[in-house]
Amino acid sequence: MSIGLLVIVIVLIAAAGFLAGRARARRASEGDTRALHSLVGFHGQAVFLFTAVPALLLIAVWLLVQPAVIAERVTGLLASERSEGALNLALGDVHRVAAGLDRLVAQGDLSEAAVAGLSVEGTDLRRTLGTAGVAVAGRVRGEVLTAAREYRRLTHLSARAMTIAAIALALAGLGFSLARITVEFRARNVSERFVLMLFIGSSLIAVMTTFGIVASLLVESIHFFSLYPARDFFFNLTWNPQFGGGSSLGIWPLLWGTLYISFVALLFAVPVGLLSAVYLSEYATRRMRAFVKPAIEVLAGIPTIVYGLFALVTVGPFLRDFFAQPMGLGTSSSSVMTAGLVMGIMLIPFVSSLSDDIINAVPQSLRDGSYGLGATQSETVKQVILPAALPGIVGAILLAASRAIGETMIVVMGAGAAARMSVNPFEAMTTITVKIVSQLTGDTEFASPETLVAFALGMALFVFTLMLNIVALYVVRRYREQYE
Amino acid sequence: MNDMSRTETGVNLTDIKIAARKVQVHYGANHAIKDVDVDINDRMVTAFIGPSGCGKSTFLRCLNRMNDTIPVCRVEGEIRLDGDDIYDRRVDPVQLRAKVGMVFQKPNPFPKSIYDNVAYGPRIHGLTRSRAELDEVVETSLRRAALWGEVKDRLAAPGTGLSGGQQQRLCIARAVATSPEVLLMDEPCSALDPIATAQVEELIDELRSRFAVVIVTHSMQQAARVSQNTAFFHLGNLVEFGETSQVFTNPKDPRTESYITGRIG
C-alpha cells in the first residue's frame, strides 16, 4: 500500500471514529446530552485525535528511520568495498538497480521469480535496466545485484510491516478511546491538551529547523577550518581563491564590501523612508495617502533581479558618466555606490511602510496633548511622535539592515564580483553572499577549502545578523524601559 | 436661551475672560452646537454639565480651537478672549493654545521624563532663557499641580511610569508651565479613582486663584464642589447658565431640574 493511500485510510478510520465517538457519547448520556461532562463533539474529537495522530506519527518516524536501518543491513553485503567513497558509490548503484528492478516489475517486463533468478552472467543487466530508463555506470557486479535484491526485499518487507503496524495502532487507538467514553469522561480537557501538544510540536519544528541550519553550517565550517587555518580566514586581508590550491581566503574584503554597500543603502533608504512615513502619516490627506502608500509598496514587490537590471543598465552607467569619471574616481559602472543606491531604493518601502504603521499607532491623545500646549505640527512630530515611535522605527531600520546584508542579486549586477578593500565608493566590490554563490557553483571538488569556505562565510553572516538582532532587541528594550 | 444676559444670571461680579456669542458647530451634516452664549469669568471655575453627547466637550474644544485639527468640523459665531475674536483670520491657533491650556480626559503624558514633560511647553515657546530658569518653572508648575513632593527625587524618571492620578496632575503641571490665562479641563477625573479625584479637585480650587478654569464633567457632585458657575448643555443647546448654587438648588428650566435629579441623562 502506498503511503498516500495509507494516510487516507488512517484518516478515514479516524473520521469513522469521530462519528462513532459522538454516537457513543450521545448513547451514554441516555438522551440528555447536558449530563455529559463534555459536548459530544469533543468526545468525537478525542477519538479522532487518538486514532489518527499516533498512527501518523508512527509512519513519520518509520520513514525517517527506515533508510538508515536498511542501508546498515545492505552495507554488510558490500564487504569488498574498503573506502568510504567507494562504498557510497556502490550504495548508489544498489539504489539505482533496485529502483530499476522495481520499475521493470511494475511494467510487467519481469516477474518477481525472474528477478530472483537474475544473475550477472546470464543477462545483460545493464541493457535491461536501460530499457526501464535507469542508467547504471559500467557492468553490474554480482555483489551489487545481491545487495539490490536484499534492498528490495527489506524495503518491501518494511513497507508491509509499516502498513500493518500503522493500521493496527490506529485501530488500537480507536478501541481505547471509544472504550473510555462515559458520562464523566473529560473529553474536552483531554482533546484540548492533545491539541496543545500539537501546537507545541509545531512551534518546535521551527525551532528545530533553526538548530538544524546552524548545525549543518557548523559541521561544514569545522570541516573547512580543519583544511584551512582559522587565523588566515579571520585575519588575512586578501581574498584570492585558486582552483589548484594555495588560495588566500580572508573574510575581510568580503565583510568590508557587505558593510560598505549596506551602509550606503541604509544611508539612502532610512532618511527617505522615514521622511515619507512622516509625510504619509501626519501630513498627507486621505486621498493622497490612498494613492501614495500602495505606490511605495509596489517597490517591495519588484524582484531583486529586476533591481539588479536597473542597477546594471541605468544607475551604473549614469553614476560612472556623471560622477565617477568627471571626479576621476573610477571608470567602472559596477560600484559600491550603484549597488548601494539601488538597494536603498529597494529598502524604502520596508522603512517607510513599517514606520508609517508605527507612527499611526502613536495614540491620538499624545498629539492632542501637544497641540493643546500650543505646539505646531512639526514640533509635535519631532518631539513627541518620533520619540514615542522610536523603538518601532529602530526595529524597522534593523529589518532593512538585515535585508541589505543578505541581498545578493543587486550586488552581483551592481557592484561586481571583485573582492577589494577600498574606501572609494565608485570602485567595484563584492559581498559575502555573492561569494557564497560563486564558491558553491564552481567546478572545484566539494571537499576542497575553496568550496567549503562558503559554509564558513554563511556561518559568519549568520552570526553577524544574529548579533545585529541582539543589539536591536537590547536597544529597543532599554528604550522601552525608559519611556513606558 | 439667547436672551439670557449676564445681569439676569448674576455672574458679572468679576472680569469676563471669554465671551462666546451665537456659537454654532457642525460636524459635517451634524449640527452639534446650536446658538450657545457663555461668559467665562476670570479667576473662577466654570463647569459644563450635561448628558453624554450633549456637546459640552465640543464646545470646550472651540475655546482653544482644538476643533481645527478635525477636518470636517466647522465653527461659526463669535468667541472673544479678552475682547479679541479668536477665530479671526489673524489669530494663530498655536499662539492661542499657549494662552488657553488644556487637560484631557485620559492622562496623556509624553513618553519623556517627568522634567521634560513639564518643560515641553516652556521650551517650544521659548519662555525661559537659562537652564536655571527652566528648572524654576518646572518646580513651580509641579508645586502648583501638588506633585512636587512626590516626584522631586525622580524628575528624570519617565512620566508614563506614574500612577493614573499622578499622571493627570503631571498633565496639569504641563499645562500650567506655559502660564496660560485659561485652563480647559475635559473630564479630568473620569479616569481616576476617588482619592486621586479629590486631589485634582483640590488642585482646581487652587488654580482658580491664577486662571480662569473651565471644566467639563459628568459628575454633578463634582460640578457642585468645584465650580462657581455652571452651564447645562442638552442636545447641543445651552439650557441654563448661572451661578452653581442657583443652578443646582433653584434651576429655572425644567430640563435642568430633571437632569440634576436624575430623570434625564
Side-chain angles (χ1 to χ4, degrees):
Chain A
M1 198 184 282
S2 77
I3 290 171
L5 193 59
L6 180 59
V7 169
I8 291 173
V9 166
I10 286 170
V11 171
L12 284 178
I13 295 175
F18 175 83
L19 297 175
R22 228 170 41 167
R24 193 177 161 85
R26 203 169 278 139
R27 225 174 307 119
S29 69
E30 289 162 355
D32 181 14
T33 49
R34 278 179 301 175
L36 292 168
H37 169 269
S38 309
L39 297 175
V40 289
F42 282 111
H43 283 282
Q45 196 181 332
V47 175
F48 182 90
L49 290 170
F50 273 86
T51 309
V53 176
L56 294 177
L57 277 181
L58 178 80
I59 294 174
V61 172
W62 197 295
L63 289 176
L64 281 178
V65 175
Q66 176 185 305
V69 173
I70 291 180
E72 178 77 19
R73 295 282 292 273
V74 171
T75 308
L77 295 171
L78 300 166
S80 69
E81 305 295 354
R82 295 275 178 255
S83 79
E84 201 185 326
L87 185 62
N88 277 335
L89 283 177
L91 273 178
D93 273 349
V94 169
H95 286 187
R96 270 192 296 276
V97 171
L101 291 176
D102 275 344
R103 203 172 296 174
L104 287 171
V105 171
Q107 284 170 356
D109 295 343
L110 219 57
S111 68
E112 283 292 343
V115 171
L118 275 179
S119 71
V120 193
E121 289 79 24
T123 46
D124 188 352
L125 203 52
R126 192 174 162 208
R127 180 173 302 163
T128 321
L129 287 171
T131 60
V134 176
V136 182
R139 215 172 60 85
V140 179
R141 286 173 298 143
E143 206 176 45
V144 169
L145 182 63
T146 325
R149 268 201 215 105
E150 177 69 2
Y151 179 87
R152 288 190 69 223
R153 191 182 68 81
L154 286 173
T155 312
H156 292 169
L157 187 71
S158 162
R160 211 167 304 139
M162 181 180 78
T163 307
I164 293 167
I167 290 179
L169 190 60
L171 291 175
L174 179 72
F176 167 72
S177 50
L178 274 179
R180 64 176 176 171
I181 290 176
T182 59
V183 175
E184 299 92 48
F185 179 57
R186 304 192 159 206
R188 174 168 49 79
N189 309 37
V190 168
S191 67
E192 276 174 2
R193 211 169 315 132
F194 207 107
V195 171
L196 179 68
M197 294 297 167
L198 286 182
F199 290 159
I200 293 173
S202 310
S203 65
L204 279 182
I205 287 177
V207 176
M208 297 314 285
T209 312
T210 312
F211 277 111
I213 291 171
V214 174
S216 75
L217 277 178
L218 207 59
V219 168
E220 297 297 345
S221 299
I222 290 168
H223 193 176
F224 167 71
F225 286 123
S226 70
L227 296 171
Y228 189 84
R231 217 173 55 109
D232 286 358
F233 178 69
F234 286 115
F235 297 107
N236 196 335
L237 295 184
T238 51
W239 172 269
N240 183 21
Q242 302 285 328
F243 289 117
S247 317
S248 311
L249 300 172
I251 192 178
W252 279 103
L254 308 183
L255 193 61
W256 170 253
T258 304
L259 295 182
Y260 201 179
I261 292 172
S262 304
F263 176 74
V264 171
L266 289 176
L267 206 61
F268 182 70
V270 170
V272 173
L274 205 53
L275 292 181
S276 57
V278 169
Y279 169 71
L280 281 179
S281 57
E282 295 295 315
Y283 293 93
T285 60
R286 195 170 297 180
R287 270 173 56 199
M288 191 67 182
R289 190 183 150 84
F291 170 73
V292 173
K293 196 171 180 185
I296 291 178
E297 280 166 359
V298 164
L299 284 179
I302 298 175
T304 55
I305 188 85
V306 176
Y307 280 109
L309 286 174
F310 181 56
L312 188 70
V313 176
T314 312
V315 179
F318 174 81
L319 287 177
R320 181 193 57 201
D321 296 344
F322 292 95
F323 292 93
Q325 279 182 338
M327 290 194 287
L329 287 173
T331 54
S332 161
S333 70
S334 302
S335 67
V336 168
M337 211 60 186
T338 308
L341 275 183
V342 174
M343 206 191 279
I345 295 169
M346 179 194 81
L347 294 178
I348 288 172
F350 282 85
V351 178
S352 79
S353 199
L354 278 172
S355 302
D356 176 48
D357 291 345
I358 291 153
I359 290 172
N360 269 326
V362 173
Q364 182 63 29
S365 69
L366 288 183
R367 292 186 182 88
D368 283 348
S370 180
Y371 294 143
L373 290 168
T376 63
Q377 200 163 6
S378 66
E379 284 163 344
T380 305
V381 168
K382 262 186 305 203
Q383 301 191 24
V384 176
I385 293 171
L386 287 184
L390 197 63
I393 291 172
V394 170
I397 291 172
L398 285 161
L399 187 75
S402 39
R403 277 292 301 236
I405 289 171
E407 180 49 47
T408 315
M409 249 26 254
I410 295 177
V411 183
V412 174
M413 300 175 81
R420 190 178 293 150
M421 282 177 92
S422 160
V423 287
N424 180 357
F426 292 102
E427 269 200 70
M429 286 183 212
T430 196
T431 62
I432 293 179
T433 49
V434 171
K435 282 300 162 195
I436 290 178
V437 174
S438 62
Q439 291 311 108
L440 274 180
T441 51
D443 286 338
T444 43
E445 193 189 343
F446 187 77
S448 71
E450 284 75 24
T451 306
L452 287 171
V453 71
F455 293 96
L457 290 175
M459 194 73 205
L461 205 59
F462 178 80
V463 170
F464 195 78
T465 44
L466 188 72
M467 276 180 350
L468 203 68
N469 283 348
I470 290 171
V471 169
L473 275 180
Y474 176 76
V475 168
V476 168
R477 195 169 303 158
R478 228 184 98 122
Y479 192 88
R480 285 231 168 101
E481 269 168 12
Q482 202 177 340
Y483 286 138
E484 271 172 308
Chain B
M1 235 33 63
N2 304 324
D3 58 347
M4 192 165 55
S5 73
R6 292 184 340 191
T7 34
E8 272 177 38
T9 54
V11 279
N12 58 342
L13 300 169
T14 45
D15 305 334
I16 292 167
K17 192 69 187 170
I18 298 178
R21 290 290 174 273
K22 292 198 185 294
V23 174
Q24 320 276 343
V25 179
H26 297 266
Y27 280 115
N30 179 17
H31 196 176
I33 296 281
K34 298 155 194 160
D35 263 351
V36 168
D37 290 7
V38 166
D39 289 324
I40 308 292
N41 288 309
D42 204 5
R43 290 165 210 279
M44 273 199 187
V45 179
T46 306
F48 291 174
I49 60 170
S52 296
C54 68
K56 54 194 189 304
S57 288
T58 303
F59 184 69
L60 188 79
R61 290 167 67 96
C62 291
L63 301 181
N64 68 344
R65 292 185 60 174
M66 274 302 273
N67 286 331
D68 289 16
T69 57
I70 303 166
V72 296
C73 183
R74 196 154 45 81
V75 180
E76 289 163 11
E78 195 179 72
I79 300 177
R80 290 182 178 277
L81 174 69
D82 291 329
D84 300 322
D85 188 356
I86 63 169
Y87 279 90
D88 191 280
R89 222 174 263 281
R90 281 165 298 175
V91 172
D92 184 354
V94 167
Q95 283 173 317
L96 171 73
R97 288 181 204 137
K99 279 197 264 182
V100 184
M102 188 157 191
V103 175
F104 296 84
Q105 185 169 359
K106 235 180 93 209
N108 56 351
F110 300 136
K112 296 170 182 289
S113 69
I114 294 172
Y115 185 96
D116 288 339
N117 260 286
V118 182
Y120 184 80
R123 274 185 183 143
I124 58 173
H125 296 300
L127 298 180
T128 54
R129 257 172 257 116
S130 64
R131 174 80 190 190
E133 216 178 318
L134 187 62
D135 287 349
E136 205 182 295
V137 170
V138 169
E139 182 177 339
T140 15
S141 308
L142 283 170
R143 275 190 200 284
R144 284 204 187 125
L147 193 60
W148 177 252
E150 290 158 65
V151 301
K152 64 171 185 282
D153 300 323
R154 46 174 178 145
L155 290 175
T160 42
L162 297 172
S163 73
Q166 289 174 324
Q167 285 188 11
Q168 193 61 299
R169 279 181 284 150
L170 178 65
C171 293
I172 293 173
R174 190 173 71 184
V176 167
T178 51
S179 27
E181 295 165 22
V182 181
L183 194 58
L184 308 177
M185 302 179 126
D186 190 356
E187 299 183 41
C189 301
S190 64
L192 303 184
D193 67 27
I195 294 169
T197 302
Q199 286 169 323
V200 171
E201 283 179 8
E202 204 176 313
L203 183 59
I204 291 170
D205 204 47
E206 282 165 31
L207 293 173
R208 161 168 94 87
S209 62
R210 305 183 169 275
F211 333 102
V213 178
V214 185
I215 176 170
V216 165
T217 175
H218 260 129
S219 154
M220 280 167 291
Q221 288 88 339
Q222 187 172 54
R225 279 194 301 265
V226 300
S227 70
Q228 283 72 52
N229 292 328
T230 296
F232 172 58
F233 287 80
H234 189 242
L235 302 175
N237 295 302
L238 178 67
V239 174
E240 184 151 356
F241 178 50
E243 274 181 54
T244 301
S245 53
Q246 174 255 312
V247 170
F248 275 88
T249 55
N250 189 20
K252 289 178 189 153
D253 195 289
R255 284 173 292 177
T256 316
E257 196 184 352
S258 306
Y259 181 67
I260 288 166
T261 53
R263 263 174 299 181
I264 59 169

